Amino acid sequence: MARPKKTDTAEDPAELIQVKEGFAPKGVTYPWAWNALVVTSVANLLVAVAIGLVTGAVGYATVMRQAPQYSATAVMLMDQPLALSSGDAGVVVKLNALRGKYVALILTAEIMAPAAKRANLPVGQVRAAQRPVIPAQTLTLLPTARARTPELAQQIAQATAQTIEDYVADEQAATGLNPAQRISLRIVQNAGVGNKVTPSSSRGRQVAVVAGAAGLLLAYVGLQLTGANRRNR
């Protein structure tokens, strides 16, 4: 009875080619590069880690050196008291849709020109500061502004909210509707002093991790390939 052939789970040596140190699969265009990457060098790894730490620190410092930005927000309520008191759900849908209309108007000259005049600032500066927010499942609109100081952010957000309030009031007055039937978009909370939003330490850490990992990887690969290329000359 013939003995079963002995099986070998290792790769067939015929499928491998030896180059200096280590083995590369047959058909690899640059076997020396393959070997360079799979054969670990502790010295190169330590150098790469050091480079990764440096690049991570540089990334963090770059983010944290950015000019600070502050954000301030006013709270406005879209309302039509008489219609809402009827309990008609369609009124809520209508008012919710109107929020989108007025947010879309914020960056137009209809709002920006009087808001800039009220804030005593250039129109371009007031427009660039706008970050309006429409919270879901509410009838509120949040005129929000970003600026280089907390007071400036507050000034722009408040001027924008007051201008929107006046615009809606004038628009509704022009309809000739009874005041009790008119829609209003009124300020229910004035803009407070702005809070710092950038740079943030969390963002700095995220950039540091990405920059550090990229620096480590590129440095290690570069060192391994450079060393292998030098040995194969």
Side-chain angles (χ1 to χ4, degrees), residues 5 12 44 71-72 95 99 103 109 116 127 139 141 144 177 188 194:
K5 292 184 178 181
D12 185 348
N44 285 347
S71 179
L95 295 178
R99 290 190 306 159
V103 165
R127 180 178 284 114
L139 291 177
L141 188 156
T144 302
L177 289 171
V188 293

Side-chain angles (χ1 to χ4, degrees), residues 104-189:
L105 286 172
I106 287 178
L107 295 181
T108 68
E110 290 286 321
I111 302 297
M112 287 295 94
K117 184 177 181 180
R118 191 188 297 267
N120 195 28
L121 293 168
V123 173
Q125 183 178 3
V126 174
R127 180 178 284 114
Q130 300 301 319
R131 304 289 192 282
V133 177
I134 307 180
Q137 307 302 322
T138 73
L139 291 177
T140 58
L141 188 156
L142 312 180
T144 302
R146 283 195 181 189
R148 63 181 182 275
T149 68
E151 294 79 16
L152 184 57
Q154 178 187 31
Q155 180 182 353
I156 295 173
Q158 186 65 25
T160 302
Q162 290 172 339
T163 302
I164 295 171
E165 185 177 61
D166 291 346
Y167 180 88
V168 175
D170 292 343
E171 184 183 58
Q172 289 295 301
T175 64
L177 289 171
N178 185 300
Q181 297 176 314
R182 295 176 187 173
I183 293 169
S184 68
L185 184 53
R186 55 191 175 85
I187 299 172
V188 293
Q189 180 176 307

